[in-house]
Amino acid sequence: MRMSRRTFAAAAAVVLLPLSACGSGGGDASAGASGRIEGDITFQTWNLRANFKPYFEGLVADFEKKYPGTHVKWIDQPAEGYADKISADAAGGTLPDVVNVSPDLVAPLAGAGLALDLDKAASRYRGEYLEGAWDAHRIPGMSGTYAFPWYLNTGPLFYNKSLFTEAGLDPEQPPRTYGELFTDALRMADRSGGKVATLANVPTIEDFGRYGVPLMDDKGTAFTFDDGKGVELLAKYKELYDARALDPQALTATPESSGRKFLTGAVAMNPGSALDLGNFKKQAPDLYRNIGITDQITSTGHVNMYVMGVMVNARTARKPAAVAFAHYVTDAAHQMAFARQVAIFPSTAGSLDDPYFTKEDGTDETRVRVAAAKSLKTAVNYTPVLFSEQMKTALRNEVAKALQGKESPQEALDNAVRECNTLLRQQG
């Protein structure tokens, strides 16, 4: 499994079915996490066996050697239907003791009393992780953290220096905030006669977050991205769309189509990975020679991270062993070892200062890795854990109506929030 930014985001976007059949856990499900580490536990991962079988088999063997009397059964589920599998296991009382999850998968499990609150059961480990990563598995309206943060990913932006130069912009000073982006994009569209757009994608929920829009109320009962700041962002994108500073095909763009636009010089900025750099080198050598790498656009000072986690079943009969193993999988040494096998980043504090993430060796892989690692130290997960795929579709549809002039930005976001809140109530 090659974990580029885009494949990571796609993998982490699966929606878990409602767990109404589970009920809520009684008593303090976080109790009993201390004690003798022993017994049999089951560890479930998400589409990792095919490429990383030796790593995980070694991990399990080392844990069992460290804690005699333990036995870990490792099972791996395919990517397709993973959320359905977790939902069925939760409803049937067969949820594994330790489970590989993303934040959106944790939310209904925590609400059903099935995810262990680590702020209560394993608070002694909190300082080992980046603050933004630990907080990624908090659930609005609930106190606590419901999974150990595991591997992270993010993506820097690529930009075409020659297109910036042609527009009279400094190729060594790409835009970093949305204000700078809007100014530069309008200038590039004007100088090119509308032939060069700066962006190829419409704003997503992460863009609203990076712009500083409050996405949800503190209780987790309603979405709020239709406030004045959210409307301001969408109005700016409408201005870009009208000026052809946003690609005309952005309404139906896919990562692949956006990548082709960037490859041909029709778009000046696009997210990507080291794999893309390799393709540029072969297919567009002029672009490759003029490629720039910069951080995601953000007006908050924090880029977006994608995060995977390891959850402990709150009802496991072997809580000390399950907590110990979940921590073992995600501790600094093992995260660092895993990061050397696949293009992901550790969530543990201090790990991103390792020379592996700070020193370039002239290869495309390290160029991207160093740029991404630098931004991850203070990154946050902007996507609300309760924001489902249906909600993303609702937002995208309303954004399209606003850009096409069928609705005002305020009307579009009001409609999106209304539909998302309806879906949110249905989840409950």
Side-chain angles (χ1 to χ4, degrees):
M1 181 182 59
R2 182 177 285 116
M3 294 302 293
S4 70
R5 170 189 174 278
R6 278 175 278 181
T7 56
F8 187 100
V14 184
V15 183
L16 187 63
L17 298 180
L19 296 173
S20 55
C22 299
S24 58
D28 184 3
S30 297
S34 60
R36 187 173 178 83
I37 298 172
E38 61 182 2
D40 296 354
I41 59 172
T42 302
F43 170 48
Q44 177 173 288
T45 53
W46 184 353
N47 195 32
L48 294 175
R49 181 180 292 273
N51 292 315
F52 306 108
K53 181 180 178 181
Y55 172 80
F56 285 101
E57 287 181 341
L59 184 77
V60 167
D62 290 345
F63 179 81
E64 292 174 346
K65 182 178 180 180
K66 181 177 181 179
Y67 297 103
T70 62
H71 176 72
V72 179
K73 179 183 179 181
W74 173 41
I75 56 176
D76 186 69
Q77 300 292 347
E80 184 177 356
Y82 187 71
D84 293 348
K85 173 63 175 172
I86 290 180
S87 184
D89 284 344
T94 57
L95 193 68
D97 303 285
V98 180
V99 188
N100 176 194
V101 291
S102 55
D104 57 307
L105 299 184
V106 167
L109 294 170
L114 294 175
L116 189 67
D117 179 0
L118 301 179
D119 281 345
K120 292 181 179 179
S123 60
R124 62 190 179 280
Y125 298 128
R126 178 175 179 174
E128 297 180 18
Y129 302 89
L130 295 170
E131 182 178 358
W134 185 267
D135 290 345
H137 292 93
R138 294 190 181 281
I139 313 301
M142 298 179 66
S143 61
T145 295
Y146 293 92
F148 284 101
W150 194 8
Y151 53 89
L152 310 176
N153 224 321
T154 190
L157 277 175
F158 292 145
Y159 68 99
N160 189 326
K161 290 184 177 182
S162 62
L163 295 179
F164 274 72
T165 300
E166 291 169 10
L169 298 168
D170 186 346
E172 304 304 324
Q173 296 293 326
R176 296 183 179 278
T177 67
Y178 282 92
E180 294 171 354
L181 172 68
F182 298 143
T183 298
D184 289 357
L186 291 172
R187 180 170 181 173
M188 188 172 293
D190 180 64
R191 290 291 183 93
S192 68
K195 294 182 180 180
V196 178
T198 298
L199 301 176
N201 296 285
V202 299
T204 63
I205 195 67
E206 292 89 354
D207 285 291
F208 285 88
R210 290 195 300 259
Y211 193 63
V213 179
L215 304 179
M216 201 170 196
D217 65 18
D218 293 338
K219 296 181 179 179
T221 58
F223 292 100
T224 58
F225 53 83
D226 59 343
D227 78 336
K229 200 165 185 64
V231 173
E232 178 182 272
L233 177 67
L234 187 51
K236 289 290 187 181
Y237 266 87
K238 167 65 171 163
E239 185 179 357
L240 297 187
Y241 186 74
D242 291 344
R244 299 180 74 86
L246 176 63
D247 186 76
Q249 297 177 9
L251 303 183
T252 57
T254 64
E256 291 73 24
S257 65
S258 299
R260 288 192 294 271
K261 291 274 187 176
F262 183 70
L263 189 72
T264 60
V267 170
M269 303 188 80
N270 201 57
S273 69
L275 267 182
D276 296 302
L277 277 182
N279 291 335
F280 301 156
K281 190 173 185 178
K282 294 178 181 178
Q283 301 176 27
D286 287 342
L287 170 62
Y288 182 78
R289 284 191 292 270
N290 288 281
I291 203 74
I293 303 177
T294 189
D295 287 341
Q296 297 172 18
I297 302 298
T298 176
S299 294
T300 65
H302 304 281
V303 304
N304 186 61
M305 72 164 64
Y306 304 94
V307 57
M308 279 290 181
V310 176
M311 185 201 86
V312 175
N313 183 346
R315 299 180 185 176
T316 175
R318 301 291 186 180
K319 202 166 292 181
V323 170
F325 184 74
H327 173 253
Y328 192 77
V329 172
T330 63
D331 69 18
H334 294 104
Q335 289 211 44
M336 193 68 203
F338 194 41
R340 289 182 180 275
Q341 297 199 22
V342 61
I344 51 87
F345 300 86
S347 63
T348 40
S351 295
L352 296 176
D353 293 324
D354 187 281
Y356 185 72
F357 297 111
T358 61
K359 303 293 185 183
E360 293 189 27
D361 61 9
T363 64
D364 291 335
E365 184 178 357
T366 58
R367 290 177 68 189
V368 175
R369 184 167 67 226
V370 169
K374 182 179 179 181
S375 65
L376 271 172
K377 291 181 180 180
T378 58
V380 299
N381 179 23
Y382 285 108
T383 305
V385 297
L386 302 176
F387 202 71
S388 69
E389 284 298 300
Q390 287 178 287
M391 296 172 189
K392 292 176 184 178
T393 299
L395 174 59
R396 186 179 181 88
N397 289 343
E398 291 299 329
V399 164
K401 292 176 185 178
L403 297 182
Q404 294 171 320
K406 296 178 180 179
E407 296 175 351
S408 71
Q410 183 71 68
E411 291 171 333
L413 291 184
D414 284 347
N415 289 337
V417 165
R418 188 178 303 112
E419 184 171 352
C420 289
N421 285 338
T422 297
L423 291 168
L424 181 66
R425 289 191 292 272
Q426 292 172 357
Q427 285 182 359

